[in-house]
Amino acid sequence: MIASSVLAGALLAVGCSIAQVFLFTGIANAVVALYVFLLVPEYLLRFVAWVVTHFIYRFKVRGAVHIPAEGPALLVCNHVSFVDALLLMAASPRPIHFIMDHRIFQTPVLGALFRLAKAIPIAPQKEDPATYEEAFRQASQVLREGDLLAIFPEGGITRDGQLQAFKPGFVKILDQARADGLEVPVVPMALTNLWGSYFSRIEQRGGKPVAMVRPWRRGWLNRVGLNVGPVLTASRAEPEHLRDQVAGLLKAG
């Protein structure tokens, strides 16, 4: 505040107008804000999540009390759209590290945000063994540090709006955590009413399902939600059982 006062006085002394003083002050504030966002990207990401949940959707969360307030946990959710991670960020009281399909990082804007969030890219083992193994190494590190880790076990965004089979990759994460001496709780989640929104793959181009084609295809402020189920122990988190839990949360509306 003292520096700003001195700067304002100096600008007025050299003949700057009040409007110019406000301009210089605004630019300085923007530079400082950018520095803070780069230093602590969580603030920027939570702001983006807040914008999405307040100006694009009407977002309602049920069962948020099941998200552990401290310690490591694995969040498992269905994958419906390109903004699923942002919605989970908005619902969680704690920062979340995401394991995400490496192709999402190629999406303009969203890819940059996910890199800023230090999301963990994963690729099929046959396609890119190095990226596959590195993803599990980073996931184990996140849990050892006592943080939240989120995974979309369907392996990609749904192309038909239906819940797909769960791949067993998350079981490998839990097994590694157990080898590290951790019994990591698993939190099932279900995003509801997102299929058909702008960010879901409901449109067709060249016979392939694509997203982000018609911005207002469902209007403004659609009702979407997140249902969070009771915590499961790692021993109960088998792919079929966990899928059944998420399917039940989807039916809850």
Side-chain angles (χ1 to χ4, degrees):
M1 291 175 64
I2 294 172
S4 297
S5 300
V6 171
L7 178 61
L11 290 172
L12 291 171
V14 297
C16 291
S17 67
I18 297 296
Q20 289 172 324
V21 170
F22 276 108
L23 174 63
F24 282 118
T25 304
I27 293 173
N29 281 331
V31 171
V32 172
L34 178 61
Y35 172 72
V36 171
F37 285 146
L38 293 176
L39 194 66
V40 191
E42 176 67 17
Y43 289 121
L44 174 60
L45 295 168
R46 284 191 174 274
F47 173 71
V48 173
W50 184 86
V51 169
V52 169
T53 54
H54 286 76
F55 290 94
I56 297 179
Y57 298 120
R58 283 179 288 178
F59 186 48
K60 185 174 182 178
V61 182
R62 298 183 178 91
V65 294
H66 297 306
I67 301 174
E70 58 183 19
L74 181 64
L75 313 181
V76 177
C77 190
N78 60 323
H79 207 1
V80 192
S81 76
F82 282 96
V83 294
D84 292 353
L86 294 178
L87 294 176
L88 295 190
M89 283 181 197
S92 173
R94 299 169 56 193
I96 303 173
H97 296 265
F98 291 89
I99 299 179
M100 307 180 72
D101 189 316
H102 68 294
R103 289 167 293 189
I104 291 180
F105 290 82
Q106 301 169 8
T107 306
V109 182
L110 290 174
L113 285 174
F114 295 143
R115 289 190 191 92
L116 196 59
K118 298 180 180 178
I120 302 170
I122 189 168
Q125 187 174 20
K126 293 181 180 179
E127 178 182 324
D128 190 340
T131 299
Y132 177 83
E133 292 299 333
E134 177 62 16
F136 286 102
R137 187 196 68 77
Q138 292 186 44
S140 297
Q141 182 64 28
V142 167
L143 295 176
R144 282 196 298 270
E145 292 175 356
D147 294 329
L148 296 180
L149 177 69
I151 189 169
F152 301 104
E154 293 168 274
I157 298 173
T158 180
R159 295 172 178 270
D160 58 8
Q162 301 301 309
L163 185 64
Q164 309 300 310
F166 281 12
K167 297 183 177 180
F170 70 90
V171 176
K172 181 176 179 178
I173 294 172
L174 294 173
D175 289 343
Q176 181 58 56
R178 192 176 292 110
D180 293 335
L182 298 172
E183 274 299 322
V184 177
V186 180
V187 184
M189 297 178 160
L191 287 162
T192 62
N193 204 35
L194 269 166
W195 179 249
S197 70
Y198 171 64
F199 295 102
S200 65
R201 286 175 165 166
I202 195 169
E203 301 291 345
Q204 293 284 329
R205 274 191 176 177
K208 296 182 178 180
V210 295
M212 295 178 281
V213 175
R214 293 170 53 197
W216 313 119
R217 72 177 315 280
R218 233 173 54 170
W220 191 254
L221 292 177
N222 321 159
R223 290 185 182 275
V224 300
L226 175 69
N227 295 334
V228 184
V231 172
L232 300 175
T233 60
S235 60
R236 296 186 61 202
E238 294 296 330
E240 289 188 11
H241 178 65
L242 193 53
R243 184 187 180 281
D244 289 341
Q245 296 297 308
V246 174
L249 293 170
L250 280 172
K251 292 178 181 178

